[in-house]
Amino acid sequence: MNLILMGAPGAGKGTQSEKISEKWGIPAISTGEILRAAIKEGTALGREAKTYIDDGKLVPDETVIGIVKEYLASSVCQNGFILDGFPRSIPQAEALDTLGVKIDAVLSIEVADETIVERMSGRRVCACGASYHLLFNPSKVEGICDKCGAKTTVRADDAPETVTKRLATYHEQTEPLKAYYAKKGLLLEVKGQDEITETTRLVFDALGSISL
Ligand code: AP5
């Protein structure tokens, strides 16, 4: 299955892509995670990306398209993939089309802006990649990662003023992709629920309905 996962910041893309990845045995490629790793390593890509991410804006299309191209050409994606957070603009979607990659479905997780703002304030992350929520997905010991035992932190771009900017960027540049993919008959919409497990059930139902 070649899948695109869409949704506003904090809609639950990362959470659900982990579940889909486990069930279907395909890798999740998260452009956000790749960019954060580059920031942590202090590479030229990371330094470029940081200025945009800290300001709630999209990293330039050419940069992100270049990253995704490399992943899609690698053996990692041979048996299917989940693109988590790519494409995020019409030029990115057009670039993907140009690569001739067959997409089976575009799944959009729908969550209201008010819920997003509330969710982001409770997210805690670990340097190992694990993600938690103080209320909805707490670690066993508050502030400590279940997977590696390190201290969890608040993601830099989860500050309320940055979340507001990220939401505006989403509505302006990414949401138009829903119409783009609906026209191609690929769009599946799932209403994000308060319970993570309930959202997973709806996501699995929606993906179970596509013919590969
Ligand atoms: P990215 O990392 O992709 O951030 P995002 O799209 O803003 O999404 P998030 O990772 O914040 O949230 P999510 O939807 O994965 O939700 P999660 O599962 O964590 O990108 C970061 C930045 O990189 C962008 O702003 C941009 O600058 C840049 N970038 C990335 N890709 C780019 C591209 N293609 N082009 C240009 N720039 C790009 O869930 C959130 C929280 O809610 C968690 O705490 C979770 O536990 C909780 N939760 C999840 N589901 C539920 C539920 N159903 N009920 C209750 N709680 C829930």
Side-chain angles (χ1 to χ4, degrees), residues 8 26 50 73 80-81 84 87 109 126 154 160 165 171 176 179 182 186 192 204:
I26 50 174
K50 189 174 183 335
F81 55 79
D84 165 1
I109 305 176
C126 178
V154 176
K165 286 186 193 170
H171 290 304
L186 292 173
F204 284 4

Side-chain angles (χ1 to χ4, degrees), residues 57-196:
K57 291 184 181 148
L58 294 186
V59 172
D61 288 333
E62 318 79 69
T63 306
V64 188
I65 291 165
I67 295 172
V68 173
K69 243 187 198 176
E70 259 183 51
Y71 271 89
L72 292 180
S74 75
S75 57
V76 176
C77 294
Q78 240 171 20
N79 297 318
F81 55 79
I82 306 160
L83 289 177
D84 165 1
F86 181 93
R88 241 180 242 242
S89 66
I90 298 287
Q92 290 181 21
E94 289 171 346
L96 191 60
D97 289 347
T98 308
L99 290 179
V101 179
K102 180 179 166 281
I103 297 297
D104 296 304
V106 177
L107 187 110
S108 176
I109 305 176
E110 302 294 318
V111 177
D113 286 7
E114 311 80 74
T115 311
I116 296 284
V117 175
E118 195 189 315
R119 268 193 203 173
M120 299 303 231
S121 64
R123 175 162 53 186
R124 295 294 179 271
V125 294
C126 178
C128 77
S131 175
Y132 303 93
H133 192 282
L134 291 180
L135 294 177
F136 306 121
N137 181 27
S139 53
K140 291 189 186 101
V141 178
E142 193 179 321
I144 302 293
C145 177
D146 292 348
K147 292 189 181 160
C148 73
K151 278 191 180 166
T152 57
T153 56
V154 176
R155 215 168 91 176
D157 58 347
D158 278 353
E161 58 281 12
T162 313
V163 171
T164 306
K165 286 186 193 170
R166 286 162 66 196
L167 277 171
T169 303
Y170 169 76
H171 290 304
E172 193 185 311
Q173 289 178 264
T174 308
E175 211 168 18
L177 288 176
K178 287 201 288 181
Y180 183 90
Y181 285 116
K183 250 191 211 164
K184 292 177 184 279
L186 292 173
L187 184 71
L188 301 170
E189 289 181 275
V190 163
K191 201 166 179 306
Q193 305 294 307
D194 290 339
E195 288 285 326
I196 293 176

